[in-house]
Amino acid sequence: MKYLFLFTIGPVQTFIAQARKTRDLYRGSSILSELTAHALETADLKEIIFPARGLKSKPNRFIAIIEKNSDEEVKLFGNEMADKVREKYTSMAMGSLSDRENLPQGGESQIDRAVETFWAAVPMDSEE
């Protein structure tokens, strides 16, 4: 069965509000773009509707058609996508730290919770 699948990465407002300089704003946007690209590359998508292929900079969301056999498979797919994005962000953040040993207690779990993902899927009628 085909589903219309929407996946969003955020919070965009936090990345904007915490930017002190233009380069901070650019880097925050780049991080979101890289996370979206990672999600698009690792997902088993039948067809990408948005964004257009070939864009260097990706928006913080995408819409695609996926094929799954049940609503449970869709839930599993959406949750796996969220986990992959969180893992990528944690990897990026931890990789940028020069002194990981002095990371405060709970720092890694705070990094893991810094990015939020939301997704929704609706069945597509084969006649539409």
Side-chain angles (χ1 to χ4, degrees), residues 8-29:
T8 303
I9 303 168
V12 174
Q13 187 62 34
T14 302
F15 281 90
I16 293 170
Q18 292 180 357
R20 296 166 294 173
K21 298 183 178 187
T22 304
R23 71 175 176 206
D24 296 340
L25 185 59
Y26 175 78
R27 186 60 191 140
S29 178

Side-chain angles (χ1 to χ4, degrees), residues 2-3 16 19 21 24-25 32 39 43 46 54 56-57 65 67 69-70 72 80 105 115 118-119 124:
K2 290 183 182 180
Y3 291 83
I16 293 170
K21 298 183 178 187
D24 296 340
L25 185 59
L32 292 171
K46 181 160 180 68
K56 184 176 179 181
S57 179
I65 296 173
E67 278 195 30
N69 294 322
S70 67
E72 288 303 315
E80 286 175 356
Q105 184 177 1
V115 170
F118 304 95
W119 63 267
M124 293 180 64

Side-chain angles (χ1 to χ4, degrees), residues 40-128:
L40 287 167
E41 291 167 6
T42 60
D44 179 24
L45 305 171
K46 181 160 180 68
E47 178 184 347
I48 299 170
I49 297 171
F50 174 82
R53 292 186 187 266
L55 288 179
K56 184 176 179 181
S57 179
K58 308 270 189 275
N60 70 316
R61 69 188 65 207
F62 67 87
I63 301 170
I65 296 173
I66 60 173
E67 278 195 30
K68 300 295 173 191
N69 294 322
S70 67
D71 290 348
E72 288 303 315
E73 281 189 23
V74 173
K75 288 178 187 176
L76 182 63
F77 176 79
N79 291 334
E80 286 175 356
M81 291 288 304
D83 290 343
K84 287 178 184 179
V85 167
R86 247 188 321 280
E87 288 169 8
K88 175 70 174 173
Y89 179 76
T90 300
S91 172
M92 290 167 63
M94 295 300 288
S96 69
L97 293 175
S98 58
D99 189 11
R100 290 185 207 166
E101 290 151 14
N102 288 329
L103 190 65
Q105 184 177 1
E108 192 167 343
S109 65
Q110 186 175 1
I111 289 170
D112 188 51
R113 292 188 313 265
V115 170
E116 299 172 352
T117 57
F118 304 95
W119 63 267
V122 293
M124 293 180 64
D125 189 338
S126 60
E127 295 177 15
E128 292 184 26

